[in-house]
Amino acid sequence: MREETIQLDHGSGGRAMHALVERVFARAFANDFLQELNDSAILPPASGRLAMTTDSYVVDPIVFPGGDIGSLAVHGTVNDLAVSGARPLYLTAGFVLEEGLPMAVLDRIVSSMAEAAREASVLIVAGDTKVVPRGKADKIFINTAGIGVVRDDVRLGGGNARPGDVVLINGTIGDHGMAVLCRREGIAMESEILSDSASLNHLIEAMLGAFPGIHVLRDPTRGGVATTLNEIACQSGVGIRLHEEALPVREDVAGVCELLGLDPLYVANEGKVLAVVPAESADVVLEAMRRSPRGRDACRIGEVVAEEPGRVFLRTRIGGHRLLDMLRGEQLPRIC
Amino acid sequence: MREETIQLDHGSGGRAMHALVERVFARAFANDFLQELNDSAILPPASGRLAMTTDSYVVDPIVFPGGDIGSLAVHGTVNDLAVSGARPLYLTAGFVLEEGLPMAVLDRIVSSMAEAAREASVLIVAGDTKVVPRGKADKIFINTAGIGVVRDDVRLGGGNARPGDVVLINGTIGDHGMAVLCRREGIAMESEILSDSASLNHLIEAMLGAFPGIHVLRDPTRGGVATTLNEIACQSGVGIRLHEEALPVREDVAGVCELLGLDPLYVANEGKVLAVVPAESADVVLEAMRRSPRGRDACRIGEVVAEEPGRVFLRTRIGGHRLLDMLRGEQLPRIC
Ligand SMILES: Nc1ncnc2c1ncn2[C@@H]1O[C@H](COP(=O)(O)OP(=O)(O)OP(=O)(O)O)[C@@H](O)[C@H]1O
Ligand SMILES: Nc1ncnc2c1ncn2[C@@H]1O[C@H](COP(=O)(O)OP(=O)(O)OP(=O)(O)O)[C@@H](O)[C@H]1O
Ligand SMILES: [Mg+2]
Ligand SMILES: [Mg+2]
Ligand SMILES: [Mg+2]
Ligand SMILES: [Mg+2]
Ligand SMILES: [Mg+2]
Ligand SMILES: [Mg+2]
């Protein structure tokens, strides 16, 4: 009979763990590299520069409107590779499970990871399974690491923004953070806010295909758009000016944010990309974005300036200027 | 003034996190790839097949005789690459920190990782930092993933053991598991048992240099030597016979194991490698092992047989045969 919850011996390295790996993980992630179940996956030679990244995921709740910790763990790592100009190829997945986690929950999360990996055309080639006693972790934490091959023709980096460049985004901001928060706090809405959690590699391929000379790409995850633009402003030694009336925010997201005293500019996204591009190429990049399913609502939100290097400003609707510092304090813990 | 413990905002993605990453992690791991602090590290092209692996580390206690969770997280992943015939090159490090973790403890663990990485000649090129509220994780969990380039001339794999091959090991068994257990349970010994936690890539390079045709290499971590040999016996469809009198076990390890009803053959190692080699090459490999600092006590412990495919047997001192199944149940939770 099938056990119904995760037990300590599922992390023992012995028979129960091997059975779990074969029955749950290897079956869902099914590919020739993982299937060998050796100490490392052996992968074919890759030509070109490599990109390598990692993120751990501790989101609470583990299932939220629009996604779950499994799909999120694939999207987030795929996106960190994609915004680096890489074609994401291979992921690893490390699981820390809490004793007592229902097997049905694990199954769901693993299927969702497998589905997200298929959608992004990446393979999960190696994994690890640890189990800690009840109360020593919270249900499930997942780490993914990823590698990809960097396009030869791109030179992306947070330090490449130049005065005169414009700032583009592929859609509304704050959706992921507010979807997770509303579910966690039991805030009921007329129509539920959905996370934007999604892989952006196909969108980004289209953008770089349209104009390989994009200066910066970055996914505004924890800390939101304001914090990510602060990173870019610092790394590039430039100022960045946003236009309040140009910022795409869903009405319901704006509503809940106001209610809770949050600013959508500081709320995490998991399916958004910021692009800093030379002004003369902005339209060609925007058009490419809008032709892609994840970029339909793409728009211009601001520009890079020489003044106030290292700082980000918001030009408000009434024409004022507000400094947008990096996020201070912990606005929303365990959001990804 | 320097904060004394980890706070939720160290995982916010905002200012506090950036300061922590720069002051603690990037400073200790110091290398040009990490230093860019972009979404992914961009690495030079690597020629040849790639090996890729991951492990999460949840060991309790986080500091134990002979090591800590930081050095362990480097050794373990380096070893999974090395036993795959790869030269380990780059690691990622994902941290899940519990709110309240003393900064001094984090500093110590991070220095220890940095030192282990230097010793193994690998670079930690990307990382991630999440913080969960008090009680939602236990102090610190670390995931490392790693990539390396596989030697052209090797064809290693758990499925390559052949009848007639001999089984070698580079030293005593059960040290890591018993070191962690004794510290955790407060078992006092005359002289403390030290973990064998160590990177084996230099040893393994010497072994493959002496004889590239080694059939199988594997590190007997969780589940111990008996479980790892069961994996090999299954994957290769062969039997494996061990000789009790040939098994190297420290006297104090044997003593505590007997006291607690444990079998050192099932206790985790973190600085040991099992090698399955054609009989005629055993001596040349053994000699290479013994010339290397991590292989001084290398010896032959058994052989591969055609009978009883998929099973491992122990030939006891008095000439009997005992079946050594894979580990069943959880002998020692949170050992790595
Ligand atoms: N959750 C998982 N998803 C996918 N593959 C997994 C998972 N857990 C383990 N594996 C795979 O199963 C095989 C055995 O994993 P295991 O963790 O036992 O190996 P190891 O890292 O060599 O041992 P240890 O973790 O004790 O150091 C590996 O090929 C690994 O990639
Ligand atoms: N513990 C750490 N050790 C080493 N480097 C780290 C660590 N934490 C973060 N970094 C590095 O700092 C930079 C920023 O990390 P961060 O996690 O904010 O990026 P991200 O993954 O793009 O964002 P998010 O985690 O919100 O998705 C990256 O270059 C990352 O490699
Ligand atoms: Mg291993
Ligand atoms: Mg990320
Ligand atoms: Mg493992
Ligand atoms: Mg990112
Ligand atoms: Mg391992
Ligand atoms: Mg990160």
Side-chain angles (χ1 to χ4, degrees), chain A residues 11 15 18 36 38-41 43 50 52-53 55-56 80 84 128-130 218-219 222 231 325 327, chain B residues 11 15 18 38-41 43 50 52-53 55-56 80 84 128-130 218-219 222 231 325 327:
Chain A
R15 193 164 289 281
H18 284 86
E36 296 289 320
N38 280 325
D39 303 87
S40 305
L43 308 167
L50 294 175
M52 186 176 195
T53 193
D55 268 323
S56 292
D80 276 328
S84 305
D128 182 61
T129 312
K130 297 289 187 296
R218 185 154 288 177
D219 55 336
R222 286 179 294 169
E231 292 170 18
D325 198 359
L327 176 64
Chain B
R15 195 164 289 282
H18 283 86
N38 280 325
D39 302 270
S40 305
L43 308 168
L50 293 174
M52 186 177 194
T53 192
D55 267 323
S56 292
D80 276 328
S84 305
D128 182 61
T129 312
K130 297 288 188 296
R218 184 155 288 176
D219 55 336
R222 286 179 294 168
E231 292 171 19
D325 199 358
L327 176 64

Side-chain angles (χ1 to χ4, degrees), chain A residues 52-53 80 83-84 156-159 216-219 227-228 230-232 234-236 326, chain B residues 13-15 17-42 124-129:
Chain A
M52 186 176 195
T53 193
D80 276 328
V83 296
S84 305
L156 289 162
V216 187
L217 291 175
R218 185 154 288 177
D219 55 336
T227 301
T228 299
N230 265 279
E231 292 170 18
I232 297 170
C234 280
Q235 285 180 278
S236 296
M326 266 200 182
Chain B
R15 195 164 289 282
M17 193 191 80
H18 283 86
L20 182 74
V21 167
E22 280 171 31
R23 206 189 54 213
V24 176
F25 297 106
R27 181 177 296 175
F29 301 156
N31 63 74
D32 294 347
F33 304 113
L34 177 62
Q35 194 167 290
E36 297 289 322
L37 297 178
N38 280 325
D39 302 270
S40 305
I42 304 297
I124 298 171
V125 296
D128 182 61
T129 312

Side-chain angles (χ1 to χ4, degrees), chain B residues 27-249:
Chain B
R27 181 177 296 175
F29 301 156
N31 63 74
D32 294 347
F33 304 113
L34 177 62
Q35 194 167 290
E36 297 289 322
L37 297 178
N38 280 325
D39 302 270
S40 305
I42 304 297
L43 308 168
S47 75
R49 291 171 295 162
L50 293 174
M52 186 177 194
T53 192
T54 191
D55 267 323
S56 292
Y57 299 85
V58 299
V59 64
D60 169 38
I62 57 179
V63 177
F64 48 81
D68 60 52
I69 191 171
S71 51
L72 180 64
V74 171
H75 297 152
T77 294
V78 162
N79 291 346
D80 276 328
L81 293 171
V83 296
S84 305
R87 189 157 59 89
L89 292 173
Y90 306 110
L91 303 190
T92 60
F95 293 80
V96 175
L97 307 177
E98 184 189 9
E99 179 189 12
L101 180 74
M103 197 63 79
V105 171
L106 181 64
D107 268 329
R108 182 204 157 140
I109 288 167
V110 170
S111 313
S112 160
M113 283 185 84
E115 172 61 28
R118 264 191 300 278
E119 212 241 34
S121 317
V122 295
L123 299 176
I124 298 171
V125 296
D128 182 61
T129 312
K130 297 288 188 296
V131 179
V132 298
R134 222 176 271 271
K136 298 298 182 186
D138 192 9
K139 299 182 197 75
I140 177 170
F141 300 150
I142 303 177
N143 174 282
T144 50
I147 60 172
V149 171
V150 184
R151 289 174 58 121
D152 263 338
D153 52 353
V154 304
R155 285 287 176 282
L156 290 161
N160 297 348
R162 292 291 168 267
D165 288 354
V166 303
V167 181
L168 312 177
I169 194 165
N170 62 318
T172 53
I173 67 178
D175 301 3
H176 174 73
M178 296 322 293
V180 171
L181 191 74
C182 286
R183 171 59 56 95
R184 182 156 80 205
E185 304 302 332
I187 299 171
M189 306 285 298
E190 253 172 64
S191 74
E192 210 168 35
I193 298 173
L194 295 186
S195 165
D196 59 345
S197 184
S199 288
L200 300 176
N201 52 326
H202 301 312
L203 167 69
I204 289 170
E205 212 162 320
M207 293 166 69
L208 289 169
F211 180 63
I214 293 175
H215 285 167
V216 187
L217 290 175
R218 184 155 288 176
D219 55 336
T221 49
R222 286 179 294 168
V225 166
T227 301
T228 299
L229 290 176
N230 264 279
E231 292 171 19
I232 297 170
C234 280
Q235 285 180 276
S236 297
V238 296
I240 295 179
R241 189 168 51 210
L242 295 184
H243 297 270
E244 192 175 27
E245 79 286 354
L247 293 174
V249 185

Side-chain angles (χ1 to χ4, degrees), chain A:
Chain A
M1 211 205 66
R2 173 118 189 220
E3 319 86 317
E4 292 191 294
T5 63
I6 288 293
Q7 303 297 319
L8 284 177
D9 66 350
H10 287 117
S12 64
R15 193 164 289 281
M17 194 192 79
H18 284 86
L20 182 73
V21 167
E22 280 172 30
R23 206 188 54 213
V24 176
F25 297 105
R27 181 177 295 175
F29 300 155
N31 63 73
D32 293 347
F33 303 113
L34 178 62
Q35 194 168 288
E36 296 289 320
L37 297 178
N38 280 325
D39 303 87
S40 305
I42 304 297
L43 308 167
S47 74
R49 289 171 296 161
L50 294 175
M52 186 176 195
T53 193
T54 191
D55 268 323
S56 292
Y57 299 87
V58 299
V59 64
D60 169 37
I62 56 179
V63 178
F64 47 82
D68 60 52
I69 192 172
S71 50
L72 180 64
V74 172
H75 298 150
T77 294
V78 162
N79 291 346
D80 276 328
L81 293 171
V83 296
S84 305
R87 190 158 59 90
L89 292 173
Y90 305 112
L91 303 190
T92 60
F95 293 81
V96 175
L97 307 177
E98 184 189 11
E99 180 189 12
L101 181 75
M103 198 63 79
V105 171
L106 181 64
D107 267 329
R108 182 204 157 141
I109 289 166
V110 170
S111 311
S112 160
M113 284 184 84
E115 173 61 27
R118 262 191 301 278
E119 211 242 33
S121 316
V122 295
L123 300 176
I124 298 171
V125 296
D128 182 61
T129 312
K130 297 289 187 296
V131 180
V132 297
R134 220 177 275 269
K136 298 298 182 185
D138 192 10
K139 299 182 197 74
I140 177 170
F141 299 150
I142 303 177
N143 174 283
T144 50
I147 60 172
V149 171
V150 183
R151 288 175 59 121
D152 263 338
D153 52 354
V154 304
R155 286 286 176 281
L156 289 162
N160 297 347
R162 293 290 169 267
D165 287 354
V166 303
V167 181
L168 313 176
I169 195 165
N170 63 318
T172 54
I173 66 177
D175 301 5
H176 174 73
M178 295 323 292
V180 170
L181 190 74
C182 286
R183 172 58 56 93
R184 183 157 78 203
E185 304 302 329
I187 299 170
M189 306 285 297
E190 254 171 60
S191 73
E192 210 168 35
I193 298 173
L194 296 186
S195 166
D196 60 345
S197 183
S199 288
L200 301 175
N201 52 327
H202 300 312
L203 167 68
I204 289 169
E205 211 161 323
M207 293 166 69
L208 288 170
F211 179 62
I214 293 175
H215 286 167
V216 187
L217 291 175
R218 185 154 288 177
D219 55 336
T221 50
R222 286 179 294 169
V225 166
T227 301
T228 299
L229 290 177
N230 265 279
E231 292 170 18
I232 297 170
C234 280
Q235 285 180 278
S236 296
V238 296
I240 296 179
R241 187 168 52 209
L242 295 184
H243 298 271
E244 192 176 26
E245 79 284 356
L247 292 174
V249 186
R250 284 170 54 117
E251 231 174 274
D252 47 6
V253 168
V256 192
C257 275
E258 200 168 313
L259 198 77
L260 301 173
L262 296 170
D263 183 340
L265 278 166
Y266 290 92
V267 176
N269 310 277
E270 292 288 349
K272 292 294 149 14
V273 58
L274 289 163
V276 179
V277 302
E280 62 275 18
S281 307
D283 284 338
V284 76
V285 176
L286 264 180
E287 277 157 32
M289 291 169 86
R290 290 179 180 146
R291 277 194 302 269
S292 182
R294 299 278 168 211
R296 287 218 190 86
D297 302 326
C299 59
R300 171 179 174 156
I301 59 171
E303 59 269 337
V304 178
V305 296
E307 305 89 70
E308 302 271 10
R311 286 165 186 267
V312 180
F313 285 90
L314 183 69
R315 209 183 132 82
T316 63
R317 281 199 178 78
I318 56 166
H321 267 64
R322 180 154 72 85
L323 179 68
L324 292 176
D325 198 359
M326 266 200 182
L327 176 64
R328 287 176 185 272
E330 176 53 290
Q331 204 184 23
L332 303 172
R334 294 186 67 188
I335 215 65
C336 65

